[in-house]
Amino acid sequence: MPGGRLTQQERQQIALGLADGLAYAEIARRLDRPTSTITREVMRNGGPAAYRADLAHRATERRAHRRKQAAPREPQESAQPYGRDAEAVREYEELFTTVVMASGMPLMMSRVLSCLTLTDSGSLTAPELAQRLQVSPASISKAIAFLESQGMVRRERDERRRERYIVDDDIWYQSMMVSARATAQLVETARQGVGVLGPGTPAAVRMENVARFLDFVSEGIARAAEQARDILHTTSGATSDPTATATATTAPGGAAEPGPGRA
């Protein structure tokens, strides 16, 4: 981390700042630390409601001890394209994983999703994931099965018939739709409960309110996901290909025709 690892005194200041309701950015400013450092520190140690300075300090010492005992990674695993700082990328991947975990996803599933998301290709094979994360193939298989059930990864075979796991722009749309369908199923189940509990009874009224609320949320998620895909994919398709400008030709009347990039 920039400026060295957090001290126990700094962690105590973080705990005091959280107790006072300060934002991460304000705590970071007072400690002269990057906001990402404070965010990562808090999220990996229970979140703002459960953060404890002494527990966080001991947990960090244990992690450091385990890293020293672990076998060193191969040099090629640390190499980064585009001149990226390998340590900064590693720390960011850890932060991203921690935030995904805070949303309710288990550790290994969060690690696999982060690893896939932060690769330039957006796809890796099971052996590549196992090597990067230093875990067993069985752990990768279990994590992929879970992520696939949530619509967050998809599978396809490459030219060598190897199965690759992929995260791309459409995956986030599919994941939102899986969430919307799951919520819609909960709505239907809640409304079945109204009949079982007896219309007008306190429990039935509660279930009807649950159903109405979740129905509204479910429709909102699906509608927002559809709109986002239509708008953002069209925009990214027009600008994401760096060769599009160079290869565009001029149509009659001066309008630019698209090059070979995504439409």
Side-chain angles (χ1 to χ4, degrees):
M1 285 183 287
R5 297 194 176 279
L6 289 167
T7 65
Q8 189 164 13
Q9 183 178 7
E10 286 177 316
R11 290 190 167 94
Q12 290 170 350
Q13 292 299 313
I14 291 173
L16 290 173
L18 293 171
D20 289 340
L22 299 180
Y24 293 151
E26 177 58 22
I27 296 173
R29 187 188 66 79
R30 295 187 180 191
L31 294 177
D32 193 24
R33 293 278 190 167
T35 301
S36 61
T37 295
I38 307 304
T39 304
R40 179 171 59 249
E41 168 68 16
V42 175
M43 297 306 296
R44 73 173 3 170
N45 290 292
Y51 183 82
R52 299 293 182 272
D54 54 341
L55 297 179
H57 195 69
R58 287 200 293 270
T60 299
E61 290 179 336
R62 287 196 297 271
R63 284 192 294 267
H65 182 66
R66 286 198 299 268
R67 277 197 290 267
K68 288 180 181 179
Q69 292 182 324
R73 294 187 177 186
E74 295 297 324
Q76 62 267 27
E77 291 181 351
S78 299
Q80 289 289 329
Y82 303 104
R84 294 172 181 142
D85 183 325
E87 180 65 13
V89 171
R90 185 194 67 77
E91 290 187 356
Y92 178 75
E93 183 170 336
E94 189 174 324
L95 171 62
F96 190 84
T97 299
T98 303
V99 173
V100 171
M101 284 177 60
S103 71
M105 186 175 291
L107 172 59
M108 185 51 61
M109 291 66 171
S110 299
R111 293 188 68 199
V112 170
L113 179 63
S114 297
C115 190
L116 284 168
T117 302
L118 299 182
T119 58
D120 288 299
S121 65
S123 75
L124 293 168
T125 64
E128 288 170 340
L129 281 166
Q131 181 182 23
R132 284 172 177 251
L133 298 176
Q134 298 292 291
V135 297
S136 68
S139 296
I140 298 299
S141 178
K142 182 178 180 180
I144 289 295
F146 173 85
L147 292 170
E148 192 174 29
S149 73
Q150 300 300 307
M152 302 199 77
V153 300
R154 61 182 174 85
R155 306 170 187 240
E156 66 179 39
R157 293 194 179 275
D158 60 20
E159 65 281 357
R160 295 170 59 184
R161 305 299 299 167
R162 298 176 304 178
E163 191 170 69
R164 303 191 69 86
Y165 308 120
I166 298 172
V167 170
D168 56 20
D169 291 345
D170 197 53
I171 287 299
W172 299 102
Y173 164 78
Q174 295 296 340
S175 177
M176 288 294 100
M177 297 308 292
V178 168
S179 176
R181 286 192 292 270
T183 306
Q185 186 175 11
L186 185 54
V187 170
E188 181 180 351
T189 304
R191 287 198 165 128
Q192 289 176 4
V194 173
V196 173
L197 297 168
T201 64
V205 169
R206 185 181 306 114
M207 294 305 293
E208 178 59 31
N209 288 338
V210 167
R212 291 174 63 192
F213 175 81
L214 293 179
D215 193 22
F216 186 88
V217 170
S218 176
E219 289 184 4
I221 290 174
R223 184 166 55 250
E226 294 283 2
Q227 292 174 343
R229 186 172 67 164
D230 291 345
I231 296 171
L232 299 181
H233 281 207
T234 300
T235 302
S236 64
T239 60
S240 62
D241 186 349
T243 65
T245 302
T247 57
T249 58
T250 302
E257 293 180 344
R262 288 189 300 170

